[in-house]
Amino acid sequence: MSTLSTSLPGGTWTLGDLTVTRFGYGAMQLAGPWVMGPPADRDGALAVLRAVADLGITHIDTSGAYGPHITNRLIRQALHPYSDSLRIVTKVGATRDREGGWPPARRPEDLRRAVHENLQDLGLETLDVVNLRLGDAQGPQPGSLAEAFETLVELQRQGLIRHLGVSNATAEQVAEARSIAPIVCVQNMYNLAHRQDDELIDELAGQGIAYVPFFPLGGFTPLQSSALTAVASRLDATPMSVALAWLLRRSPNILLIPGTSSVAHLHENVTGAGLSLSDEDLAELDEIGR
Ligand SMILES: NC(=O)c1ccc[n+]([C@@H]2O[C@H](COP(=O)([O-])OP(=O)(O)OC[C@H]3O[C@@H](n4cnc5c(N)ncnc54)[C@H](OP(=O)(O)O)[C@@H]3O)[C@@H](O)[C@H]2O)c1
């Protein structure tokens, strides 16, 4: 059993009744190329997960669709039996096709199957947090989530899920979910250069709901901006560090889940997120996404 670290940049946040470090880890990059199949370096992937735990990070983001099944099984192999403080957040609502696409799988039977597969692959009896992944690879798409979300609420009542969230969602879908049942987090694409959710983040902060940006470093296309490079070189830091430190400063309800398949990058990111930004730095960085 490990104790909860508060020395990580950003401190902690509470998802419902579950405390997590604001500096978390996104496991998607541990699968093979384009998140399909096993990693080329399986031992390296297991080493990253063990380093995550050793650093005191208590929030791991994953999905049964990564691989598919691959990252969940790696997490289990590396970290099971889990520390009492570790929280694993997963998502359901998309599957994989032969071409590596992410078709939706949001019929009640798809969602029930996905929840049971996550439980089995992760070796758990209850999933800490399950996000309903909406939209498509192009981003959030309008439309009611009621049938799908109510299916997850039913699985929550059965004790298979502790807390619920939504992902790749419009503000209207977030509101619709909240009218059906409490949510503890929203996981959408957001970073220094993509700030479409600014208003939503502030609204959620006022309601005590976490906002968890995916692609915090730009995802498959790393963040690039001359202003970011300029601020980073002035601070003698990497652009990745500045991007993570900016997110932690942006709002107290933002939780970081940067992905990496490298122990060295993981350490760099933990250190980098602790970078202190001046008001002048912030003003320059704020211009990037405007
Ligand atoms: N809800 C959704 O629909 C959704 C969609 C996408 C992702 N996610 C979640 O969000 C998490 C984060 O997204 P992501 O991993 O795709 O993107 P990301 O965190 O923005 O970026 C990851 C990329 O940055 C590189 N990187 C990380 N640290 C670095 C460093 N210090 N120096 C240089 N390169 C570095 C990684 O390469 P290396 O491996 O070489 O370090 C990887 O290619 C995922 O793991 C997943 O859990 C959710």
Side-chain angles (χ1 to χ4, degrees):
M1 183 179 120
S2 79
T3 51
L4 194 64
S5 166
T6 49
S7 59
L8 288 162
T12 59
W13 177 266
T14 306
L15 295 166
D17 60 343
L18 306 175
T19 302
V20 293
T21 51
R22 284 183 72 210
F23 191 101
Y25 171 70
M28 188 175 88
Q29 303 292 342
L30 294 183
W34 300 105
V35 203
M36 285 296 280
D41 178 4
R42 187 180 178 85
D43 288 344
L46 295 170
V48 171
L49 287 163
R50 291 186 182 119
V52 165
D54 289 346
L55 282 162
I57 293 169
T58 64
H59 174 197
I60 295 182
D61 185 78
T62 185
S63 169
Y66 298 162
H69 301 288
I70 299 289
T71 60
N72 280 352
R73 291 175 185 168
L74 287 169
I75 291 168
R76 180 179 185 162
Q77 186 182 343
L79 302 177
H80 196 281
Y82 303 115
S83 133
D84 287 350
S85 57
L86 181 67
R87 301 299 165 211
I88 301 175
V89 176
T90 191
K91 64 192 86 62
V92 295
T95 186
R96 305 304 298 279
D97 60 25
R98 282 168 194 270
E99 289 72 43
W102 304 78
R106 296 197 281 270
R107 295 173 305 174
E109 60 269 34
D110 298 327
L111 296 169
R112 284 187 207 108
R113 187 183 328 110
V115 165
H116 282 283
E117 284 176 356
N118 272 278
L119 286 166
Q120 191 173 354
D121 288 343
L122 289 165
L124 290 168
E125 288 178 4
T126 302
L127 298 169
D128 288 327
V129 182
V130 174
N131 284 310
L132 174 63
R133 202 244 194 205
L134 298 157
D136 57 27
Q138 274 62 57
Q141 305 296 337
S144 174
L145 52 62
E147 187 187 27
F149 196 67
E150 280 163 5
T151 302
L152 295 186
V153 172
E154 181 51 36
L155 293 165
Q156 184 181 34
R157 281 197 197 108
Q158 291 168 18
L160 303 181
I161 299 172
R162 196 163 180 102
H163 296 296
L164 295 169
V166 291
S167 175
N168 211 24
T170 64
E172 291 72 26
Q173 288 163 337
V174 172
E176 188 186 13
R178 297 187 63 213
S179 74
I180 296 170
I183 61 169
V184 296
C185 54
V186 173
Q187 184 178 126
N188 277 2
M189 180 179 172
Y190 181 85
N191 57 45
L192 200 52
H194 292 91
R195 300 187 50 179
Q196 67 294 336
D197 274 351
D198 270 332
E199 210 176 306
L200 180 62
I201 290 170
D202 295 337
E203 188 191 321
L204 293 173
Q207 289 149 354
I209 295 172
Y211 183 90
V212 188
F214 74 75
F215 294 164
L217 300 172
F220 296 105
T221 317
L223 281 173
Q224 279 185 329
S225 137
S226 50
L228 175 60
T229 307
V231 173
S233 63
R234 192 169 70 221
L235 295 170
D236 198 17
T238 64
M240 301 289 185
S241 306
V242 176
L244 294 175
W246 177 83
L247 280 171
L248 281 183
R249 270 292 288 275
R250 168 64 186 80
S251 187
N253 63 330
I254 288 189
L255 309 185
L256 299 185
I257 52 163
T260 181
S261 54
S262 144
V263 173
H265 285 172
L266 175 69
H267 283 274
E268 253 177 61
N269 294 344
V270 169
T271 308
L275 186 73
S276 154
L277 300 172
S278 68
D279 290 346
E280 184 198 354
D281 300 329
L282 287 175
E284 267 177 71
L285 295 169
D286 272 341
E287 286 306 310
I288 296 173
R290 288 207 199 282

